[in-house]
Amino acid sequence: MYEKLKQILNKNQLLAVTTKAQYVCVVAGAGSGKTRVLTYRLAYLINELGVYPENILAFAFTNKAANEMKERALTLLPKEKQYLRLSTFHSFCARFLRSEISVLNFPTSFTIFDEEDQKTLIKNIAVELGYRKRDDEVSFAYAFINFHKTEGIYPEDVVLDKDATKEQIESLKFFHLYEQRKGEQKALDFDDLLLKTNYILENYPRIRTKWQNRFKHILVDEFQDTNDVQYRFLKLLMNSETSLYVVGDPDQTIYTWRGANPDIILKFDNEFLNSETIVLNRNYRSTETILNAANTLINHNRDRVHKDLYTENNKGEQIIYKQFNNRRDEAKWLVEEINKLDKSKIDFKYNDIAVLYRSSYITLDFEKELQKKKLPFKIFGGVKFFQRREIKDLIAYFRLLYNSYDDIAFERVINIPRRNVGEVALSTIKEEAYARELSIYNYLKLLQINETNLKPNVAFKLKELVKLLESTKTELKESPKQFFDILNRFVVSLGYYEYLALDEDKDDRIANVKTLFEDLADFELRNPDSPFEEYLEYASLASFQDDVSDGNFISLMTIHVAKGLEFKYVFVVGLNESIFPHHRALEENGYKALEEERRLCYVAFTRAKEKLYLSCNRGFSFIADGFLIPSRFFKEAGFKLEGYRPSTNFYLGDENDGYFEDYVIKDYVEQVNIKKENDVEEWFKGDLVYHETFGNGVVTEVIDKDIIQIEFVDHGVKSMLGKHFMLSKRMKGHEA
């Protein structure tokens, strides 16, 4: 095998695949073949070093990446399909807990709450504490809980300062009740999966030893995005004989806002003495021109492992960079360039094109122009497949088949399809159930129609629902491997298709349900021995990237979603200050945030294989609250936009770190932003508005406490600051 590898791999890849070191850190630059190295490493361990596949554990960042890596590994190891273990951290921990969580007196049939479930539970707690679901305390509590759990802290370990704010004090009350109510519903959230796993491994030596002895080699992809809790988990799985093999690129650390700790990979050799670091810096993806720009940009970062990517590919076409008067002109140019590619490239396909951006709120003009010219496109990173309304409905029903304590799931579907269960009826059910210390489902199982305050017709319909759920549970218990057919009949019996047929978007919603069952069938085929609970875990833990699918369309996505992907032609749009780099990130975290924004831009550049397009505009932005200027990343990557002159110093980060630099601003674009605000305290979906430039409109979404989305009668949908002085409220809308 070694001789064959010498023909396939370059020198550093070969060293990375065949190393005998116990602790290995492979610093793999963008497009350097890290997936190839990982898959050949798996094959080398098994075929050459005689390691049993069941003694190897490999982690990838997303389900999609794990599945792709497994498929590639199986081409080299076709006989090892049932033994190869490749998964995400959360997926592995979910399976670990199905096996071991009973030591905590918790059922193995627990439900996994996603972000929407968490928010629903917190809103219910708000009502319990005397607040309204839309009060600021809800968003404060959600952020407070997620911050502490990402850090590995439960409410009993939170110690507030003596000068703690009212919001912090109230949020801690929410936190205690959140954990209590979640436990009563036999549910875990994403953070619990790792935290409970770590707790068991730390406090039950017999279980820790069992799992440490099971795995002799641990491999980790995208190691630069590992957080402290995940790192603790890895170390708990290791004993003195375990080999740890990690692959990552510090220049692609773009998830510190989600807890990723770049110091973990940067200090790997300090943590593991006698470790070996191997750098993969030959890029197989991009042209020399694209790599030169990416290297020039990222060299402005200080906290990194210095490496310059190189390629033996051709020099390639020049990078095209443009500025426009406004976003509409920027969008028109993008479509024109796509049409030029269509005419000039013999092998042109729309799925070779990606349009990347820092924030999804800037896409509207691009979407409208693509639609106008009838070009096929698909947006990724919006509403995930498993978060779409009809999919969430069915997953909630499926959850109830396995966990009768799941009140969040029952609340979602109790009136879907309609059973005349309004807010008053739901409150009655919850009061009667909780008075008996029962979940909604378990209460309705015992419900006597003459012993409730519910209307008889409502009680009857709910009894019928529970009867259907119970009979389906019996079928699944008797024939667990036939869950596709059983669940399909269940959905038909619910009358769910007839319910969707009344929706104005019925075709799309019914198509989504059919796609769900296609995915179920595929899961059943690929995992014949896996119980349906594993599919529910997969649905709960799916990421944005897991939705990225094949098809001949232009892909629009945020750069975070694009990480790990590649396209022949990449357009990076909206390269403006305040947008990219993002103003809020810089305000909150100074130069560290700037370095992460620059890494994000580096990731965007290195998605391109053949041609890279960069664009900005100088229109008025309600997000930036002024006229836009080009991103500093143009200059840092070596591009000079025509017609610009040096102007005043422009803030680049922390003054104490010397992050000031002359920048350039168009003569007639003078940034004199006089801060003015309206007197609107709070916006709600449905509020009627008037704007001094755009006229009348209606609020269609409250994005956060600062930004709202408005559909104007004559100017379409726009996102803007809720406090902007040109905006006024005409009528209070209805609560969403």
Side-chain angles (χ1 to χ4, degrees):
M1 185 179 184
Y2 185 83
E3 291 302 317
K4 182 180 179 182
L5 291 175
K6 284 175 64 177
Q7 298 172 9
I8 297 171
L9 307 174
N10 68 38
K11 181 181 177 181
N12 285 12
Q13 287 176 335
L14 180 65
L15 179 60
V17 167
T18 61
T19 178
K20 300 296 194 298
Q22 183 176 2
Y23 308 115
V24 182
C25 179
V26 180
V27 178
S32 62
K34 69 177 180 66
T35 304
R36 168 180 281 199
V37 166
L38 277 165
T39 51
Y40 275 103
R41 177 65 176 177
L42 283 169
Y44 187 79
L45 288 174
I46 294 167
N47 291 338
E48 287 293 307
L49 301 186
V51 180
Y52 291 116
E54 54 266 40
N55 294 143
I56 301 173
L57 179 60
F59 293 105
F61 194 65
T62 65
N63 288 318
K64 182 181 178 70
N67 290 333
E68 288 178 355
M69 196 187 305
K70 187 171 184 177
E71 288 173 7
R72 290 175 67 168
L74 288 175
T75 62
L76 304 173
L77 303 160
K79 298 180 181 179
E80 312 299 347
K81 181 176 181 179
Q82 68 185 95
Y83 300 109
L84 280 179
R85 291 181 175 85
L86 289 92
S87 68
T88 64
F89 285 116
H90 289 96
S91 295
F92 176 86
C93 289
R95 295 184 187 183
F96 172 92
L97 292 172
R98 298 285 180 205
S99 172
E100 306 291 358
I101 201 170
S102 56
V103 298
L104 303 181
N105 294 318
F106 207 79
T108 57
S109 59
F110 59 82
T111 291
I112 301 173
F113 278 178
D114 62 17
E115 292 177 16
E116 186 177 338
D117 299 323
Q118 286 181 276
K119 290 175 181 177
T120 299
L121 179 55
I122 291 170
K123 287 177 181 178
N124 288 347
I125 291 169
V127 174
E128 190 176 339
L129 292 175
Y131 296 103
R132 296 172 300 173
K133 291 184 178 182
R134 64 173 182 264
D135 284 347
D136 285 343
E137 281 75 9
V138 172
S139 56
F140 281 131
Y142 179 76
F144 183 90
I145 291 168
N146 276 284
F147 170 78
H148 284 93
K149 295 198 74 169
T150 299
E151 296 292 314
I153 300 170
Y154 279 103
E156 57 269 22
D157 302 315
V158 177
V159 179
L160 296 179
D161 296 333
K162 60 181 180 181
D163 56 350
T165 65
K166 177 189 174 187
E167 289 83 3
Q168 291 173 320
I169 295 169
E170 288 301 294
S171 292
L172 185 54
K173 291 180 186 176
F174 272 83
F175 198 0
H176 279 284
L177 276 173
Y178 170 81
E179 291 300 321
Q180 181 181 335
R181 299 291 178 257
K182 179 163 55 66
E184 289 168 356
Q185 296 186 46
K186 315 304 180 189
L188 304 177
D189 60 29
F190 291 167
D191 292 311
D192 288 325
L193 297 176
L194 276 152
L195 296 178
K196 299 293 186 188
T197 297
N198 283 358
Y199 181 85
I200 291 171
L201 290 172
E202 287 172 334
N203 292 280
Y204 295 86
R206 180 186 59 79
I207 295 175
R208 181 173 68 247
T209 300
K210 178 179 71 175
W211 286 85
Q212 286 177 342
N213 290 339
R214 185 171 295 181
F215 302 115
K216 305 299 183 185
H217 291 263
I218 299 175
L219 291 76
V220 187
D221 190 16
E222 304 287 7
F223 190 64
Q224 78 280 349
D225 290 321
T226 303
N227 64 34
D228 292 337
V229 175
Q230 292 165 339
Y231 189 45
R232 177 62 182 157
F233 159 69
L234 287 172
K235 292 174 74 174
L236 285 167
L237 279 181
M238 297 173 61
N239 58 30
S240 60
E241 297 179 357
T242 308
S243 293
L244 180 63
Y245 186 98
V246 303
V247 180
D249 181 6
D251 286 338
Q252 296 186 70
T253 303
I254 60 174
Y255 287 103
T256 60
W257 52 274
R258 212 160 63 183
N261 182 355
D263 286 342
I264 293 174
I265 189 170
L266 291 171
K267 297 178 180 179
F268 185 86
D269 56 348
N270 293 333
E271 180 75 22
F272 298 98
L273 300 179
N274 302 316
S275 65
E276 183 175 12
T277 298
I278 302 165
V279 178
L280 305 182
N281 59 349
R282 178 182 172 184
N283 178 286
Y284 289 86
R285 176 187 301 153
S286 305
T287 66
E288 182 182 335
T289 300
I290 293 169
L291 283 187
N292 286 343
N295 286 331
T296 302
L297 173 71
I298 201 63
N299 277 332
H300 285 79
N301 271 11
R302 299 174 179 179
D303 298 335
R304 61 186 296 255
V305 175
H306 183 81
K307 66 180 185 309
D308 279 333
L309 291 180
Y310 76 94
T311 184
E312 295 181 8
N313 297 341
N314 57 38
K315 189 174 182 64
E317 299 182 58
Q318 289 299 309
I319 295 170
I320 295 177
Y321 50 98
K322 294 282 186 179
Q323 53 171 321
F324 300 92
N325 288 328
N326 51 57
R327 192 165 290 147
R328 290 189 301 278
D329 289 347
E330 189 179 359
K332 289 177 182 177
W333 165 79
L334 177 139
V335 170
E336 289 169 2
E337 291 298 323
I338 290 173
N339 285 329
K340 286 180 187 177
L341 287 172
D342 190 3
K343 293 174 182 177
S344 63
K345 304 292 183 181
I346 297 174
D347 60 345
F348 174 82
K349 296 190 295 291
Y350 288 115
N351 62 2
D352 287 329
I353 298 173
V355 180
L356 307 183
Y357 36 83
R358 172 63 175 84
S359 301
S360 57
Y361 67 79
I362 75 167
T363 65
L364 181 61
D365 287 301
F366 299 98
E367 294 175 49
K368 289 165 68 174
E369 195 62 28
L370 289 165
Q371 287 171 338
K372 180 179 176 182
K373 299 301 182 182
K374 294 182 170 55
L375 297 183
F377 70 94
K378 186 171 182 179
I379 300 175
F380 298 100
V383 179
K384 293 188 291 186
F385 178 79
F386 286 105
Q387 293 297 319
R388 294 171 190 172
R389 192 184 78 195
E390 57 279 6
I391 304 304
K392 284 282 290 183
D393 289 346
L394 294 185
I395 293 297
Y397 270 119
F398 297 164
R399 279 165 41 178
L400 288 170
L401 294 169
Y402 291 91
N403 181 3
S404 61
Y405 296 91
D406 191 344
D407 282 353
I408 295 296
F410 213 122
E411 281 188 56
R412 180 180 184 90
V413 298
I414 197 167
N415 202 37
I416 298 174
R418 288 185 63 81
R419 301 183 182 93
N420 297 319
V421 183
E423 287 295 324
V424 174
L426 179 59
S427 295
T428 299
I429 294 167
K430 290 168 75 171
E431 287 173 9
E432 293 178 357
Y434 298 165
R436 294 163 175 79
E437 298 185 349
L438 293 171
S439 68
I440 294 173
Y441 186 113
N442 289 330
Y443 169 64
L444 292 174
K445 277 174 63 177
L446 304 173
L447 179 67
Q448 300 296 317
I449 294 178
N450 59 350
E451 296 179 2
T452 176
N453 291 320
L454 288 173
K455 293 179 180 178
N457 66 319
V458 173
F460 177 77
K461 288 181 179 180
L462 292 174
K463 291 291 287 184
E464 287 294 301
L465 171 60
V466 171
K467 182 179 178 182
L468 176 59
L469 285 163
E470 287 295 299
S471 64
T472 305
K473 287 167 71 172
T474 300
E475 283 189 78
L476 286 168
K477 188 174 182 179
E478 293 173 350
S479 306
K481 293 186 178 181
Q482 296 177 23
F483 58 77
F484 174 87
D485 291 330
I486 295 170
L487 293 175
N488 198 19
R489 289 197 301 272
F490 170 68
V491 173
V492 171
S493 299
L494 281 171
Y496 195 75
Y497 287 107
E498 290 89 341
Y499 164 75
L500 291 182
L502 301 174
D503 194 288
E504 60 180 346
D505 297 321
K506 61 183 178 182
D507 292 339
D508 288 342
R509 298 198 184 281
I510 290 172
N512 284 336
V513 171
K514 290 180 178 178
T515 300
L516 173 66
F517 275 98
E518 287 173 6
D519 196 49
L520 272 168
D522 183 60
F523 178 85
E524 195 174 52
L525 182 65
R526 288 185 293 105
N527 306 277
D529 298 321
S530 296
F532 181 65
E533 294 98 308
E534 287 191 17
Y535 185 83
L536 291 179
E537 288 172 11
Y538 159 70
S540 298
L541 301 173
S543 70
F544 282 125
Q545 246 198 28
D546 296 330
D547 280 349
V548 176
S549 56
D550 296 327
N552 193 25
F553 44 71
I554 300 160
S555 296
L556 277 68
M557 61 183 73
T558 64
I559 301 163
H560 284 97
V561 174
K563 187 170 182 288
L565 305 178
E566 59 181 38
F567 301 87
K568 278 188 179 181
Y569 316 111
V570 169
F571 292 80
V572 185
V573 299
L575 265 168
N576 289 99
E577 288 296 318
S578 293
I579 297 173
F580 197 11
H582 197 280
H583 69 97
R584 191 174 297 170
L586 300 190
E587 289 167 2
E588 292 177 357
N589 291 303
Y591 93 91
K592 288 187 176 181
L594 176 60
E595 295 221 335
E596 179 143 348
E597 293 288 299
R598 193 177 287 117
R599 290 193 294 265
L600 193 60
C601 192
Y602 172 82
V603 167
F605 284 15
T606 54
R607 298 313 92 198
K609 296 166 69 176
E610 295 185 10
K611 197 163 185 177
L612 178 63
Y613 301 79
L614 312 174
S615 65
C616 65
N617 72 82
R618 48 183 181 261
F620 188 86
S621 167
F622 290 95
I623 303 299
D625 203 20
F627 288 100
L628 292 169
I629 61 174
S631 169
R632 69 199 73 188
F633 296 149
F634 280 106
K635 182 178 179 183
E636 292 180 355
F639 305 120
K640 184 178 180 181
L641 293 168
E642 293 299 323
Y644 280 61
R645 62 173 174 77
S647 183
T648 55
N649 284 335
F650 193 75
Y651 180 64
L652 293 183
D654 188 339
E655 181 177 2
N656 296 326
D657 288 307
Y659 265 70
F660 283 85
E661 180 176 310
D662 281 345
Y663 203 62
V664 287
I665 304 179
K666 187 79 174 175
D667 291 349
Y668 64 84
V669 181
E670 292 296 336
Q671 291 287 92
V672 184
N673 291 325
I674 302 172
K675 297 290 184 183
K676 297 181 181 178
E677 294 185 346
N678 59 39
D679 58 358
V680 179
E681 293 298 324
E682 191 171 13
W683 290 100
F684 301 103
K685 186 175 179 180
D687 281 349
L688 299 181
V689 306
Y690 177 77
H691 188 275
E692 293 176 20
T693 300
F694 301 128
N696 292 314
V698 62
V699 175
T700 56
E701 185 177 356
V702 180
I703 296 173
D704 60 26
K705 66 178 182 179
D706 298 319
I707 301 171
I708 59 176
Q709 182 173 283
I710 302 170
E711 183 168 359
F712 289 99
V713 175
D714 298 318
H715 294 275
V717 179
K718 297 181 182 297
S719 296
M720 56 185 59
L721 293 171
K723 281 288 187 182
H724 200 275
F725 67 94
M726 297 177 76
L727 201 60
S728 58
K729 183 184 290 192
R730 291 301 191 214
M731 183 185 296
K732 190 177 188 306
H734 299 290
E735 181 182 356

